[in-house]
Amino acid sequence: MRLLTAPLVHVRPLPPLLLQPTGLLRLAVPLRDAHVECSRPAPGNPTAAVRLASSRTSSPAPTYGKPTRLSRHLPLLLSRPPVTSARLVSAACRSWPTVAAASAAATLPRLFATLAAAAQDTAPADAVPYAALTVGVLAETLPGERRVALTPDGVRLLRRKGIGAVVVQRGAGSAAGFPDAAYEAAGATLAADAAAVAKQAGVLLKVLPPTPAEAVLAASAPAPRTWVSLVYQHRNPEAVEALTRSGASVLALDYIPRISRAQAFDVLSSMANIAGYRAVLEAAHSFGSFLTGQITAAGKIPPGKVLVIGAGVAGLSAVVTARRMGAIVRAFDTRSAAREQVDSLGAEFLEVTGVSESGDGGGGYAKEMSKEFVDAEMKLFAEQCKDVDIVVTTALIPGKPAPKLITLEMVESMRPGSVVVDLAAEAGGNCALTEPGKVVVSPNGVTIIGYTDLPSRLPTQSSKLFSNNVTKFLLSVGSDSRFYIDHNDEVVRGALLAQNGSLLPRPAPPKIAVAPAAPAAKDAKKEEVKALTPFQKKASEVAVVTGASALLLELGYSAGPAFMASLTTLTLAGLVGYRVVWGVVPALHSPLMSVTNAISGIVGVGGMFYLGGGLVPYGFAQLLAAISVLLANINIFGGFIISQRMLDMFRRPGDPSDHAALYVAPAALFGVAFLGSLAFAAQATGLVQAGYLVSSLLCMSSLAGLASQETARAGNYLGILGVFGGVLAALVDAGFSAWVLAQFGLLTAAGAGVG
């Protein structure tokens, strides 16, 4: 390093905070290629000394920001720990070779502003700015593989983020439905072959692991010479060796850690989702019957039964697809967390009996289980294979052959025409008869599908998801619009298989905080539960009935008839409400809550009996009654309107009309009956009680209608009729004057508007 400004430059005294009492200012700022030394003023000399040295003079310096006041950056500079040297190393300092000649008073604030901005720059010297980076997309060479690593939308995103160029091999996306013209329109450049792409692109993208011949192409790539694709190191040692010999850095997409922050980069989950979906389609294609049950004039068709082994991403995708096709679905997984997910999808979760063991492993995979557990699950699978029509297996253990879960004996026990889809075929398969990449039919007529390219059989969607994952991952490598390998980034370090030709050891898996188990009681002892005899069971039932009857009879003897009448109403209402609400499907819980909220607004009828005065209430009690009626109407109208809007979300274009206008007929009947009784002052005691009964029945029918999507809209209309009828019956029962009725009408209109 040579000194550019050898003489010390005398400037105005620096701020006190900038100087340390030990003499030389000590700043540990991680900057490059230059240093600034600031010394403390000598006693009696109110000046400070600044010296700038640099090892570069010709290269233009990057711009790190506008000049600003020095005081804004003092906290950053002074927060760094002191070191022996006062060296500030940064490429930014190259823009200040003439600091000695400039006015120190004007130069120092700008100098320190630049240094402060550069102090936050931790990029290594070999970082490549986006503007100088070229990304290359190679075509897949494996026969039958139709995916592409980057779609035209991915090209647009990279270009919009500042990537200098994207080079795509001609025909790379044609099989996935992305012609060369679409890439050119997105801003990509086309190259004739893979060698031409590699010579231009510093980052090479591909879907499948490279062949040894493809890996050699990385040697001709310019900096940063990075290969990004699925690698599967243990299955492709020759390709990995060829990549390291080429001096490339390898980012293996299959090594991306399965943590929350990396979900947007997880190509394995994206492809597994598609594989599970496609597996059910392939099974349905090979299966000789419907998956959904039907009753036709020609006879009854039972629904198909599907067993999914492994409730990971692929397994859950298979479960939901089979359920949507109408099949009876059962699922098994060794991980305890899978039960809730399977149950939420409407499938039956199977468990082994006699063995308690959790299969939760790292990285979203299951661990190897004990021999006792394996024996128990094999017994379970043997029983299920005799009953189900389709088996979908997804069990994988990273770095090891797939476990054999479906034996030859199990296949022989399955009915002719049954289907086994083995998603683990690429790792050897879960079925004893699986042949990777082939469809095999057993002697007893069971079809075993061992396709290893299920995601490629949906090439357009697979390529879109893969492109989204890899694009977001590329933009996360490095920072500040520069591409470089950051070992402090746990996602990048997890995916980094090799750097500059050197194979790296695998990092420790990310630590996941697990809540500590609750301490067991010291003297806790397991109590043996003895099975009850039939006599004991029946005796306990009779004892409950006898005790409950005696309690109610004693209560009736002690309490009065009014209390027992109220208790009877409450008990029956509770039982009916429980049975009605319990049948509502989970998808309609929100409309159910809204409708019940609206129906509960009818309690505002109680306030109607305290209305009085004229067009406006007179006393304080009448004012409170008016407010209660107003709030009840807001609740009623708002609840039913929100319910209707939520139910409209379930409607699809082309659905038949629900003909809601026909409900005007029962509403008109209520109006004629009750308002007619008001007009003619008829004896309406029986009519009011009948109105209350009809209103109650309609409200209960409303809740029952919300049990399914087919009757939910009718249920909402019945609730409106029930509340309407109850309010009219209460109006007749109250016997209001015309002015109070007008007051009620105004309150209702106001509540409807607000609601």
Side-chain angles (χ1 to χ4, degrees), residues 306-323:
V306 178
L307 170 64
V308 179
I309 300 177
V313 177
L316 293 175
S317 178
V319 167
V320 71
T321 304
R323 284 284 299 146

Side-chain angles (χ1 to χ4, degrees), residues 177-519:
F178 305 109
D180 291 342
Y183 284 101
E184 289 182 308
T189 304
L190 298 179
D193 52 26
V197 174
K199 290 179 181 179
Q200 303 177 56
V203 177
L204 297 173
L205 302 182
K206 198 172 179 293
V207 177
L208 293 181
T211 63
E214 290 173 330
V216 174
L217 297 175
S220 61
R225 194 178 296 169
T226 303
W227 186 281
V228 182
S229 74
L230 297 169
V231 176
Y232 301 125
Q233 178 184 8
H234 300 289
R235 302 184 211 165
N236 303 283
E238 297 86 359
V240 174
E241 183 180 355
L243 283 172
T244 54
R245 284 201 308 267
S246 68
S249 297
V250 182
L251 292 172
L253 298 177
D254 49 296
Y255 274 153
I256 290 178
R258 287 185 153 179
I259 58 177
S260 298
R261 190 171 72 84
Q263 287 181 353
F265 319 142
D266 190 357
V267 298
L268 292 182
S269 293
S270 296
M271 297 303 102
N273 181 27
I274 294 177
Y277 171 81
R278 183 70 190 194
V280 176
L281 298 188
E282 295 289 346
H285 176 71
S286 298
F287 186 49
S289 182
F290 292 140
L291 286 186
T292 182
Q294 293 187 7
I295 299 177
T296 68
K300 180 179 178 182
I301 303 173
K305 298 178 182 179
V306 178
L307 170 64
V308 179
I309 300 177
V313 177
L316 293 175
S317 178
V319 167
V320 71
T321 304
R323 284 284 299 146
R324 288 171 179 169
M325 296 180 72
I328 297 173
V329 183
R330 304 162 186 170
F332 173 83
D333 199 286
T334 60
R335 294 162 291 188
S336 57
R339 165 184 278 279
E340 183 177 352
Q341 296 170 317
V342 171
D343 290 342
S344 68
L345 297 176
E348 178 187 358
F349 187 78
L350 302 177
E351 290 183 299
V352 299
T353 57
V355 181
S356 179
E357 183 178 353
S358 176
D360 294 307
Y365 294 94
K367 68 177 184 180
E368 286 190 277
M369 308 301 291
S370 65
K371 185 179 183 303
E372 292 77 11
F373 188 94
V374 171
D375 292 341
E377 71 175 0
M378 295 298 282
K379 180 180 178 182
L380 174 66
F381 297 156
E383 295 172 354
Q384 290 295 319
C385 285
K386 297 175 183 178
D387 184 48
V388 300
D389 304 301
I390 295 173
V391 178
V392 179
T393 64
T394 69
L396 283 171
I397 299 175
K400 297 183 179 180
K404 298 298 181 184
L405 303 178
I406 305 298
T407 63
L408 177 61
E409 292 76 14
M410 296 180 192
V411 175
E412 292 174 346
S413 69
M414 299 179 72
R415 291 187 291 267
S418 300
V419 182
V420 176
V421 184
D422 196 340
L423 294 185
E426 195 171 8
N430 298 136
C431 179
L433 298 182
T434 297
E435 294 185 21
K438 298 181 180 180
V439 176
V440 178
V441 180
S442 69
N444 63 322
V446 177
T447 302
I448 297 95
I449 300 175
Y451 292 144
T452 59
D453 60 346
L454 287 174
S456 183
R457 292 171 180 264
L458 290 173
T460 303
Q461 189 60 62
S462 296
S463 298
K464 288 180 179 179
L465 295 182
F466 193 98
S467 176
N468 289 343
N469 292 141
V470 77
T471 301
K472 293 173 182 176
F473 177 61
L474 277 182
L475 295 175
S476 74
V477 180
S479 62
D480 298 329
S481 299
R482 279 171 290 178
F483 184 92
Y484 62 91
I485 304 298
D486 182 5
H487 286 258
N488 294 322
D489 187 329
E490 60 182 343
V491 177
V492 174
R493 180 61 186 91
L496 187 62
L497 179 61
Q499 186 171 15
N500 299 327
S502 299
L503 203 61
L504 301 181
R506 301 305 307 143
K511 295 182 179 180
I512 302 175
V514 180

